[in-house]
Amino acid sequence: MGEGTGTERPKATVLQRVSSVLDADAHDVTELDGGEVGSVYHVSFHDRPDVAVKVDDSPLGIEAAMLQYLTRTTSLPVPEVLHVEPNLLVLSFIRGDGRFSERAERDLARHVASLHDISADAFGFQFDTLSGPFRQPNPWTDSWVDFFREQRVLPFARAARNDGTLPAAEFDRVQQLADTLDARLVEPASPSLLHGDIHPGNTVVADGTVRAVLDPAIYFGHAEVDLAYVDRLDSIGAAFYDEYRRHRDISAEYFEKRRDVYVAFHALENVRFFGDDRLPRLDSALDRLGL
């Protein structure tokens, strides 16, 4: 008999490794859509609940630390960390039905508002976190505008330029955005704990209820960052904002003046993640900002 396909060999390795680290009999593995970080598998057992497994060379320990922080300090539902080592992360498997209804929108809004109520004395975080596979520097900073410019916009723009995904013309436009942030953004009353990459694709729902939120990129920042990220897919509508406003205010100036700043940054992240085919969205946001 042959040695099997390239796809079968990694799956067999995952079965063996997970069986060993959990001391359980894993019998089936299915590869899932894994986003930007590594390969993700659903593993089933004869004698214990299913798990989700990430395999990658990126620092999965940081993702585990973010999930553990959210478990300890918030009510946000996230997968339980069952095992972590340098290139293996084993999480509880959360099953959903994939139907992101108006009821689910409202439930997500309540969770996001509750997360945003958690504050800190400054902007940043107690350790550097991740955005997809890339490090997010989080030095404690007193000014939100300074933090967003110096730890988010400029580092990502320079990295994308150096990677060859951000052309010089777009880099110059992003530099202009960074130079004008003092006039475009406002300081919040207090820092909010952000998920950092919140959207329906990172949300597991079943029966109109949020069962888990995945792939955090946490830090303390302006709540408007998460609002702009939520808004980037058509599956989120008025119900989310209506419910969020029952718990926290949203300034009208956010929609009129500031949303596109955060949309532009998210588009910049996508250019770095996925390449220059994501440039049109960045260009459109910069156009709307008059840059």
Side-chain angles (χ1 to χ4, degrees):
M1 293 179 65
E3 295 181 357
T5 68
T7 299
E8 290 168 345
R9 286 195 297 273
K11 287 184 177 181
T13 300
V14 168
L15 282 174
Q16 293 167 2
R17 293 184 68 188
V18 174
S19 294
S20 176
V21 300
L22 296 182
D23 192 22
D25 183 15
H27 69 84
D28 189 39
V29 57
T30 303
E31 188 164 7
L32 306 173
D33 291 334
E36 293 88 46
V37 179
S39 299
V40 183
Y41 301 91
H42 172 199
V43 178
S44 301
F45 298 81
H46 292 295
D47 53 358
R48 57 153 295 133
D50 294 0
V51 300
V53 179
K54 284 192 173 184
V55 180
D56 194 59
D57 292 331
S58 68
L60 294 174
I62 296 178
E63 179 173 350
M66 290 191 287
L67 291 169
Q68 290 166 332
Y69 178 88
L70 290 169
T71 298
R72 289 194 310 271
T73 62
T74 80
S75 61
L76 191 71
V78 296
E80 180 185 359
V81 176
L82 303 174
H83 179 83
V84 61
E85 53 190 67
N87 62 350
L88 181 74
L89 176 60
V90 184
L91 306 170
S92 58
F93 181 77
I94 313 296
R95 196 176 301 276
D97 58 26
R99 295 193 291 271
F100 205 85
S101 61
E102 179 178 321
R103 181 181 169 194
E105 282 188 58
R106 291 185 179 276
D107 196 36
L108 180 61
R110 288 189 288 271
H111 283 298
V112 172
S114 178
L115 192 69
H116 290 171
D117 281 341
I118 299 171
S119 191
D121 293 333
F123 302 95
F125 201 64
Q126 57 193 247
F127 56 86
D128 288 352
T129 53
L130 293 175
S131 175
F134 300 119
R135 186 178 69 90
Q136 287 193 140
N138 290 317
W140 293 113
T141 306
D142 290 334
S143 163
W144 164 243
V145 178
D146 288 348
F147 178 87
F148 188 65
R149 177 173 48 239
E150 300 300 330
Q151 308 304 332
R152 292 296 180 266
V153 176
L154 290 176
F156 266 80
R158 291 167 184 149
R161 178 194 59 189
N162 294 343
D163 291 344
T165 55
L166 186 67
E170 276 77 9
F171 176 83
D172 289 344
R173 296 177 77 193
V174 174
Q175 179 73 63
Q176 291 177 43
L177 173 62
D179 292 343
T180 58
L181 285 178
D182 288 291
R184 296 178 185 274
L185 298 183
V186 297
E187 299 286 337
S190 60
S192 288
L193 180 58
L194 308 183
H195 175 277
D197 193 19
I198 189 75
H199 62 89
N202 278 345
T203 306
V204 180
V205 297
D207 300 322
T209 300
V210 174
R211 299 298 174 87
V213 178
L214 311 175
D215 296 335
I218 58 176
Y219 63 97
F220 287 93
H222 199 308
E224 291 177 350
V225 173
D226 272 352
L227 296 182
Y229 280 28
V230 165
D231 193 35
R232 66 185 190 259
L233 296 178
D234 292 339
S235 49
I236 289 290
F240 176 91
Y241 294 101
D242 176 67
E243 185 63 37
Y244 186 93
R245 286 189 179 96
R246 295 174 185 268
H247 306 275
R248 290 178 59 90
D249 182 50
I250 304 176
S251 168
E253 290 191 345
Y254 157 70
F255 294 100
E256 297 166 2
K257 298 180 179 179
R258 297 191 290 274
R259 177 169 57 181
D260 281 328
V261 173
Y262 301 121
V263 168
F265 175 66
H266 178 258
L268 173 63
E269 288 184 293
N270 275 350
V271 168
R272 187 180 179 196
F273 293 158
F274 303 115
D276 58 11
D277 63 332
R278 302 302 177 97
L279 283 172
R281 185 165 177 261
L282 174 60
D283 285 330
S284 294
L286 294 172
D287 288 345
R288 292 193 297 272
L289 291 167
L291 294 167

